[in-house]
Amino acid sequence: MSRFAAVIRRPVFILAIIFPVALIAEFVVLEGVHGISLPSDRGSAVSSYEIREKGTELHFITRNKRFSIVDLWSRHGSAVEALVLRESFVIDRQEGIEGDSSMLKVEALDGKAVKWGFEEAGERGQAIGQVYEVTKFGCCDAPNTYTYFSLRDGRKLRSTHTELNQYDFAALEQSLYD
C-alpha cells in the first residue's frame, strides 16, 4: 500500500478534509442548483426573471417575493397579534398568447415557523382587513376571479368573478368571528 493510500484511510484525514469538502459540495448543489436556502435566508426575499424557450415558444418567467406585516384583530377591535406574510408570485407569460400561467403562495410566519399557508392561481394578492384577496386576471373575455382567504388560519372563504362590495366584504369578515 502506498503512503498516500495510508493517509487517505486515516480518520483524521476523513474528518479534516473529505467531510468539509462533501458539506461544501452539498451546500453548492442545494443553494445553487435547487434554490433551497439555509433557515437564516428564509427571512429575505429575492426576485428574479428568466426568458426560456419551451419547444418553439418563448416564455417570460418572473418570480417575485415580498413580506407584509398585518395586524389581526379580535371581534371587539383590540389588536391580537402582528402577522408576517411571506408572499411568492410566479408568472409564466408566453409570447403571443393572451393570459398567463400564474401562482401565488402565501405563508404566515410565527418567528421562523410557518403557521399556515395556501397556494392559489393569481397575479395579484393583498391583505385587506382580516382577509387576503387573490386576483386572477381574466383571459380571452373571461372575467377576473377574486378569491378570499382568512388571515387567521389561511382557509379559503369565497371565490367570485366580481369584487365584493363593502357590505359583502363586511359580512365575509364577520363570518370569521362566528
Side-chain angles (χ1 to χ4, degrees), residues 32 38 93 141 157 173:
L38 295 172
R93 185 170 305 229
D141 279 341
L157 300 172
E173 277 193 311

Side-chain angles (χ1 to χ4, degrees), residues 1-15 17-18:
M1 177 166 18
S2 73
R3 199 170 162 163
F4 180 71
V7 169
I8 291 177
R9 292 180 188 218
R10 290 189 179 163
V12 172
F13 180 79
I14 291 172
L15 289 174
I17 305 296
I18 294 176

Side-chain angles (χ1 to χ4, degrees), residues 66-119:
R66 72 178 183 204
F67 291 92
S68 299
I69 300 174
V70 297
D71 289 326
L72 290 179
W73 298 88
S74 71
R75 179 182 194 118
H76 304 292
S78 60
V80 174
E81 65 180 302
L83 187 65
V84 177
L85 301 178
R86 180 172 48 205
E87 302 162 281
S88 303
F89 304 82
V90 178
I91 299 174
D92 182 352
R93 185 170 305 229
Q94 186 176 339
E95 186 177 62
I97 302 293
E98 185 179 351
D100 54 45
S101 173
S102 59
M103 185 61 66
L104 170 64
K105 180 179 180 180
V106 177
E107 296 173 312
L109 303 177
D110 182 17
K112 295 202 185 273
V114 176
K115 288 176 66 170
W116 55 258
F118 65 82
E119 287 187 40

